[in-house]
Amino acid sequence: MLPANGEEGFVLDNGTCASVPPDYHVHTPLCKHAEGHVADYRAMAGRRGMREICFTDHMPDPSGYDPQHRMEPGQYAEYLQLVRPLQRDGSPSVLLGIEADFYDGCEGYVRSWLRNQPFDLVLGAVHYIGGWGFDNPSQMAAWERADVRGVWKEYFSLLGRMADTRLYDVVAHLDLPKKFGHRLDDDHMREWVQPVLDRIAAADMAIEINTSGLRRAVGEAYPSALILQLACERGVPICFGSDSHRPEEVGWAFDAAVQTALDAGYREHVLFRNRKRTARPLVHR
Ligand code: ZN
Ligand code: FE
Ligand code: FE
Ligand code: ZN
């Protein structure tokens, strides 16, 4: 939609206009569970009024970690060949990023691999606790036997260690274990998430508001309003991601996400280029 000043954006509940933030979490079919051409993802970003979009497909991993959800190491060149031509012309602008996992023992590889890559943005994500892909629908049955609180505790311990590596720019889907509805009570959440947010702040990382949670059983974006508020209090910057695995999902519910950010106390979101951040106001008039 076009607000009065001609810049594309959302008209908020109180009548002010918010800019459409870029979508910084977008996959490609190379990850084996997404569909659609990269040009169609970009076109959807344009239709939604975005100025830029960043592809962040799941990183290749020669160690054999979670091979069914990522490009083969030999396909990395193909990833560059998909994204590079879109960067040469057309709009919105296209950034090159990656969703890099953190898991026990990954650090040596991730550090040396990232060093030589031309990324604008590196998302850091925890998808596994030990050998369990806790957000994988095909491994969902394990939740029935799981101690939910224990899962959250282990998850946050991994997330804190991820921040401590200083290898990643943005924490992806910060409270991912809630995906299928296994929430943590607010008291334990406060107790366990705050030290992790402190480590994220100390690592000078941002977090994303990831709207894919709205498409899942949990029915809310990652992270929750409570976590966002605690992150905002610590000055942890935010960006936005749809976690699109199909072109139609680009910019999914970003109007609601911007409102959520404002409600949590945020006034700015961040943009990335060459892994450097700049801030931009959420509301432009
Ligand atoms: Zn994926
Ligand atoms: Fe992820
Ligand atoms: Fe993703
Ligand atoms: Zn993701």
Side-chain angles (χ1 to χ4, degrees), residues 27 31 33 57-58 69 99 243 245:
H27 291 277
C31 71
H33 59 276
D57 213 351
H58 301 281
H69 293 104
E99 179 173 3
D243 218 336
H245 288 74

Side-chain angles (χ1 to χ4, degrees), residues 145-178:
R145 303 183 297 275
D147 159 23
V148 171
R149 210 177 271 173
V151 172
W152 279 96
K153 192 158 198 186
E154 278 211 61
Y155 174 78
F156 280 135
S157 138
L158 284 161
L159 215 56
R161 288 170 49 209
M162 177 174 92
D164 294 346
T165 66
R166 306 287 200 271
L167 291 175
Y168 311 81
D169 303 316
V170 176
V171 180
H173 37 64
L174 197 150
D175 54 355
L176 184 60
K178 75 182 178 185

